[in-house]
Amino acid sequence: MLRPLRAADWTRLKIDSAGSGQIAKQKSPNKVNLTSDKYGGLPTGPATTRCYHKAFPNMALRLYNTLTQEVQPFVPADPNAVRIYTCGPTVYDYAHIGNFRTFVFYDLLRRVLHLNGYNTDHVMNITDVDDKIIRNAVAQGKSLEDYTAIYTEAFLADCDTLRLERPERIARATEHIPEMAAAIRKLEEEGHTYRSDGSVYFRISTFPGYGKLSHNDFDGMVAGARVDADTYDKSDSRDFALWKAPKPEEPSWDTEIGPGRPGWHIECSVMAIEFLGATLDIHAGGVDLIFPHHENEIAQSEALTGKPFARYWLHSEFLLVDGQKMSKSLGNFYTLRDLYADRGFSPEAIRYLLASVPYRKGLNFTMDGLRSATTSIERLRNFSLRLDSAKLQPGTTERMEELSRAAQKTFRESLDDDINTAEALAAVFEYVREANVALDGGEFLAGNTPSARALLDQFDSFFDVLKPSAVVGGLSDEEVHTLIAARTAAKKARDFPRADQIRTQLLEQNIILEDTKDGIRWKRK
């Protein structure tokens, strides 16, 4: 991993105005050639072969790049460590299910990179200072630190509940204020900023490539017009705030550029460059961040370093609830806790539904969808239980081996095709359907079990939903087995009331028993 930059290092960053100017000399700022040197180029030699998975040498991982508007082979600058920066939560409230659509996408991105043999150096920020946070903290009479600690801890706990892999590093904005001030000072020295009423603004006219990510034309923008808000529509695009002047009763920091606090956009640029260097392999977020946040990040970052800020830009689509935008006034605003604590849906069902629709397609989140996700997971768990408990004849059926190989190949090819989770799931469920028919007909033999198990293991290394979440205060597996043994003994002793009592006791603990010709199978509800 790179050594993080500190405030003093920003004074040594080479500012190459010509470098950022070259970006604007493209025939059209909306079409970017990633193979050109000024965009980091595509590495040659060994690095170009690392994006091919050993099992499928002709299949490269391909990702849709918002910058170029094309699906492209993914080739990292350094095959030993993919440098990823993802925009994390703004901790002014509990994260809602729409937020977690994006955070599940980050997790799937990490996992598909790992499946392709890459190591990741992934940084995610936590925005713990912005307009909304300050407004809420002041209203509640709390310090910024005390107010944001509640929602930061809740967010990380929710991520663990959804089995999201932790990034290698999590960066809180308030821990990097000196570095942000130093970067703004550097931008000032290079003529990219101006001051007004104690605030510092980025002068968009000094960055001719502005608009290349969102593919908008800002030529008609009024010179010198400013916007202080962190979020705004492209129709309101203006020079944006890098540093905000202090206000009474609001937190501020004394820095080398004066008192105040950072604007939202500079936070991510500085922390990304600090930990990962001038050029990232991947920068990801939701589509709502393309403009203005990511567009502004590019402008200030490339003005700072003279180098392309990120080579691949990935964005996940919106989530709707019952076909409508999520809103508290409509009664369709859900946090993760609302769904699993109050409505009884398992974290695995929520994760499955969020992952089941490819990240670039809109997801309509419904309670029926959650129930269908629960059913799909149960189907896979039941198949797994059947593999464990069925008394199979020895031998191997070659047709089943061919089906397993084909399913594993299609599963991986689908994930390598811009993380097409829908096609990957279809391959697994088609195999399970065929295997269940073969089990019923005696065609599935003991020798077919390892390849079937390999497919399930491959599936769960990515989707991670087969193992039920632990129930606080619930029965352990050992306690379940003890009760099942007691029930079996009671049935042998023809003590049927006792056997029924144990079944009821287990059912009250959400343990379902199935008496089959191959013995007793059990599962958690």
Side-chain angles (χ1 to χ4, degrees), residues 306-327:
K307 298 178 181 179
F309 182 41
R311 300 171 59 248
Y312 297 83
W313 288 85
L314 276 59
H315 295 95
S316 61
E317 261 295 346
F318 287 115
L319 175 145
L320 298 177
V321 176
D322 294 318
Q324 296 178 298
K325 185 175 180 180
M326 189 162 43
S327 167

Side-chain angles (χ1 to χ4, degrees), residues 82-99:
V82 179
R83 299 176 186 179
I84 310 170
Y85 186 89
T86 58
C87 288
T90 299
V91 285
Y92 70 96
D93 202 345
Y94 293 107
H96 56 67
I97 202 66
N99 301 138

Side-chain angles (χ1 to χ4, degrees), residues 176-186 243 255-257 270:
H176 302 271
I177 301 294
E179 290 77 19
M180 295 171 195
I184 294 169
R185 169 69 74 191
K186 193 67 179 174
W243 188 257
T255 70
E256 63 180 275
I257 59 173
V270 168

Side-chain angles (χ1 to χ4, degrees), residues 297-310:
E297 278 191 68
I298 288 177
Q300 61 203 10
S301 300
E302 296 185 4
L304 269 170
T305 69
K307 298 178 181 179
F309 182 41

Side-chain angles (χ1 to χ4, degrees), residues 419-459:
I419 321 181
N420 190 334
T421 52
E423 290 294 331
L425 287 170
V428 172
F429 279 101
E430 176 61 21
Y431 171 80
V432 169
R433 186 189 68 79
E434 291 276 2
N436 275 323
V437 171
L439 281 162
D440 292 339
E443 184 186 2
F444 193 102
L445 304 178
N448 298 125
T449 299
S451 62
R453 179 62 63 192
L455 175 61
L456 288 179
D457 289 345
Q458 184 184 53
F459 163 86

Side-chain angles (χ1 to χ4, degrees), residues 200-214:
V200 181
Y201 296 87
F202 185 90
R203 194 186 300 275
I204 292 176
S205 61
T206 66
F207 189 75
Y210 194 78
K212 65 184 176 183
L213 181 69
S214 57

